[in-house]
Amino acid sequence: MAAVTEQSRPQGRPLHPGKGEKRGRTTPRGRQVDPEALSEIRALLGDRPRRRDLLIEFLHLIQDRWGHISAQHLAALAEELRLPQAEAFEVATFYHHFDVVKEGETPPPPVTVRVCDSLTCAMFGAQKLLAELEAGLDPARVRVVAAPCMGACSHAPAVMVGKRRVEPATAELVKEVVAAGAYDPVLPEPIGFEDYVAHGGYQLYRRLAGLDPHTFHAGPSVRLLDALNDSGLRGLGGAGFPTGRKWEIVRSQPAPRYMCVNADEGEPGTFKDRYYLRRDPHRFLEGALCAAHSIEAERVYIYLRDEYPAIREILLGAIARIEAEGLVRPGYLELRRGAGAYICGEESAMIESIEGKRGLPRHRPPYVAQVGLFGRPTLVNNVETLFWVRDIVEKGPAWFAQQGRHGSKGLRSYSVSGRVMDPGVKLAPAGITVRELIDEFCGGMAPGHRFRAYLPGGASGGILPASMADIPLDFGKLEHLGCFVGSHAVVVLSDKDDLKEVVRNLMRFFEDESCGQCTPCRVGTEKAVKLMQQPVWDTALLAELSRAMTDASICGLGQAASNPLKCLMKYFPEEFAA
């Protein structure tokens, strides 16, 4: 071992400490907090409470203010929240929309252009658009990146310039937005508070919460649960659990209880929640308040995906208005932003994110109805489910139940995209077939396209051939085929589409969006993509890999990621013919 000399010893540490001198470090271990950065963070946060669960909200504030998150600001935020720097770093780097810049690294350009490359956008030229923008925009001013689904599948391809959407996008339109410096969201004009109230809005909630002296029945909460059970309303975020039954389960748990609204629809092909929130936000809010009152929730958290900045502004305004009207106490409805993580559409991962953590799914049991947000019983509903509450009560549960076809009950909002004449959100009877959906609601196939296949339930719902186009699209009707309807996202494919490339696109999405917690999903999706890039697919090995992912993954992402692959091998043998 070489001798330590005066020249080789670490600076600041005496070789032979004298009497009274301290040995070792003179400063704490780790990155030292920069006083200027700490002052900036304190000014940015203002009088907001320094709570651990607000970490992600504060990261958004930093990203919005400086366009990235520097190592100095991240260390200062950790200091202000009394968190280990490693914990703040792992959360910030988990989410796609946070640009964490380490010491010595160059911050990203001031403008980010995100080009959706998920399935429907890819079908309509996303890769060509991405290449044109990379070649046509100044990289010193503008960063062009591929991004997952933005909830604009009916207007593909979609691009976001800062917080402004361009849909359908062309290179020329995007360049015009960049040149104009127009990076803020364009706000739609939804039904406002006055119009909503003028047509009976919030009367149900007023009666339910005792804000109106004229109650419509004794025990209004019980009557509401009866109406939901009789209507057959099910959770429309993907799982399809009976809504009234879920409310009853959470209500039976010990207080305090919370409610979380899942508005993080990140499944490629899904955009129905965006559709309703843009048009009638107060109907959704009234449904949420009725649900929260029924379970006696302490607070309601609305988790909205970060790709919907315009809807965030709409909801903030609507919440402020009903607070000002005295319908709800200030702070009872709390809007939280996601940060670009598909996994947070899974309810327990969403709860982890609301708590300010990485969005890692929890092991179950216990279920979130028992141990959810902050360790308390929690009701989780999706936007569309809550949207129907008022109509079911006012028009009667029988009205809703009788809308279905082929033995199903109720109405469904199908997000239809792909090779149809008229894509979009289609309000149709539950249990409708894809053939009926295309012919009756979408104006048939697009010119020059012959119906070949379809995704009945978004990226993870599998793929079926056109010969199976007469199967009802509803919960429990597709599982025996290795598919499911999920959030009712229907992507229609034609004879012009390369089905192998479709499945590769879907698997690449799951590879990118895997949270990394469990090996079958983290490694399985990566290996599957590599195998699927070969000229000849090793179907036996892919089938074995798919089984491992399905059987051993912690949550639905890994369990369902191989559904399109398995369906392609099962129902489209011609794709593998020599």
Side-chain angles (χ1 to χ4, degrees), residues 238 240 491 577:
V491 183

Side-chain angles (χ1 to χ4, degrees), residues 86-105:
E87 189 172 346
F89 180 82
E90 72 175 9
V91 171
T93 54
F94 178 85
Y95 296 93
H96 298 318
H97 290 185
F98 293 141
D99 296 312
V100 179
V101 178
K102 302 175 185 178
E103 278 192 12
E105 291 183 345

